[in-house]
Amino acid sequence: MTATLKLTPTIQMPAVGFGTYLIKPEEAAAAVKTALELGYRHIDTAEVYRNEVGVGEGLRAFLAESGLKRDDVFITTKLWPGNSAWGMTPRTYATTLEAMNTSLANLQLDYVDLYLIHAPFDPDERREQWRAIAELRRQGKARAIGVSNFTGAHIDELVAAGLPKPDANQIELHPWSQKPDLVAYLEANDILPIAYSSLVPLASWRATPGQESAKTAQMRADGAAEASPFRVMAERLGVSEAQVLLRWALQRGYAVLPKSTSAARMAQNLDLFSFALSDADTAAIAEMDRGDGVAWSVGDPTRAR
Ligand code: A2P
């Protein structure tokens, strides 16, 4: 297990990235700067998070103070594809190209390291969005390209249209949503799995009122239980439950994107290389799958047709 993962034959990605979903626009610059100061070298944002401007400001401030260069930090953003089922106009080929220019302007960057389609909503349009994203890579605006919340069937459609294979698929992955078939597909096709919402099983996950999700009352009770298996493992290893969950993903070969607005938690979430889950721990976690992800209140978006 290493601190970087192979994204393409020529591009390595830091395995631990800083997630920014639910970081408010006005707080993003400070949070990103703090994360970079603590050692994160991979930041994940998205058009729909509405904090790209702050992410770009935090990055610039850090680079100016540290003397590091743009290419010392790995930056991901995502195209919001629209969704006609929700009354939102789907992005076309042309408006995908425009959306990328807006994201780059917001971030004050010439290129991102990874550009993703955020979800597989409208079937015809997602192919055109992907065609545009392949063009953006050709133009040098994205070094690597991928998808998020796509299944193997969604990815097969793109490849069947004669388009490139995605380099990565960012999906909700944690012990309660292990997606074994999808992960096997990604591994067989050399597509890097990037895990989001690794910390869903924690009692502290999105505990602030107004942070909607589909996490059930049962899951909340299980996460808070004194005998939670993650708590037992954490106590034995002398780490936190968050570190157990993140380490599990790294041992599976997934990149992780923990988000926190607390510097202490940010630091803890990067400290994943001085302990390991045992085979017994990983075997126990393998039995904990509960099916679909819960991070989206509308249900797991990999279910899109
Ligand atoms: P906070 O930002 O208050 O630290 P996601 O990555 O799915 O968006 O969610 C991350 C959630 O997990 C947030 O609610 C975050 O809260 C919480 N969190 C992040 N790191 C830790 C940690 N080390 N211990 C406990 N909770 C954490």
Side-chain angles (χ1 to χ4, degrees), residues 19-23 40 196-200 202-208 211 240-243 246 257-269 295:
T20 64
Y21 178 53
L22 291 179
I23 298 186
Y40 286 85
Y196 73 77
S197 288
S198 295
L199 305 181
V200 160
L202 298 187
S204 54
W205 183 79
R206 294 195 194 163
T208 305
Q211 299 186 342
S240 71
E241 288 175 77
Q243 288 169 304
L246 294 166
L257 302 170
K259 165 265 176 186
S260 181
T261 41
S262 129
R265 284 177 173 178
M266 288 180 201
Q268 185 189 104
N269 296 344

Side-chain angles (χ1 to χ4, degrees), residues 16-71:
V16 186
F18 181 63
T20 64
Y21 178 53
L22 291 179
I23 298 186
K24 295 192 186 94
E26 63 277 18
E27 290 169 8
V32 165
K33 183 161 177 274
T34 301
L36 291 164
E37 286 166 356
L38 289 168
Y40 286 85
R41 292 292 177 268
H42 168 178
I43 310 288
D44 180 271
T45 182
E47 178 187 6
V48 79
Y49 301 169
R50 308 210 182 284
N51 59 19
E52 286 172 319
V53 169
V55 169
E57 283 171 5
L59 172 64
R60 273 173 97 88
F62 170 74
L63 294 180
E65 283 178 22
S66 66
L68 292 186
K69 304 233 161 16
R70 160 69 186 93
D71 64 9

Side-chain angles (χ1 to χ4, degrees), residues 23-212:
I23 298 186
K24 295 192 186 94
E26 63 277 18
E27 290 169 8
V32 165
K33 183 161 177 274
T34 301
L36 291 164
E37 286 166 356
L38 289 168
Y40 286 85
R41 292 292 177 268
H42 168 178
I43 310 288
D44 180 271
T45 182
E47 178 187 6
V48 79
Y49 301 169
R50 308 210 182 284
N51 59 19
E52 286 172 319
V53 169
V55 169
E57 283 171 5
L59 172 64
R60 273 173 97 88
F62 170 74
L63 294 180
E65 283 178 22
S66 66
L68 292 186
K69 304 233 161 16
R70 160 69 186 93
D71 64 9
D72 292 320
V73 182
F74 189 102
I75 305 286
T76 299
T77 194
K78 314 181 192 86
L79 173 80
W80 183 254
N83 185 356
S84 54
W86 297 350
M88 302 169 91
T89 308
R91 284 284 182 25
T92 61
Y93 182 91
T95 60
T96 296
L97 298 180
E98 284 166 19
M100 171 55 130
N101 285 335
T102 303
S103 283
L104 290 175
N106 285 341
L107 289 160
Q108 303 184 63
L109 296 177
D110 303 327
Y111 69 92
V112 294
D113 295 279
L114 179 61
Y115 194 46
L116 307 176
I117 302 184
H118 208 132
F121 293 136
D122 291 85
D124 291 337
E125 287 81 356
R126 67 183 171 238
R127 197 176 52 240
E128 289 311 297
Q129 293 158 7
W130 186 241
R131 196 184 301 280
I133 286 177
E135 168 61 16
L136 289 164
R137 176 170 61 182
R138 201 195 59 75
Q139 292 177 7
K141 292 181 177 174
R143 293 174 67 221
I145 57 176
V147 293
S148 182
N149 301 302
F150 276 49
T151 59
H154 295 136
I155 293 170
D156 282 344
E157 273 176 26
L158 305 178
V159 175
L163 298 170
K165 177 175 72 83
D167 297 317
N169 188 14
Q170 185 182 129
I171 53 181
E172 183 177 341
L173 277 179
H174 47 73
W176 292 350
S177 185
Q178 299 192 29
K179 300 185 167 73
D181 295 344
L182 177 50
V183 168
Y185 171 95
L186 298 175
E187 287 169 352
N189 288 281
D190 204 17
I191 298 170
L192 182 67
I194 302 174
Y196 73 77
S197 288
S198 295
L199 305 181
V200 160
L202 298 187
S204 54
W205 183 79
R206 294 195 194 163
T208 305
Q211 299 186 342
E212 283 180 15

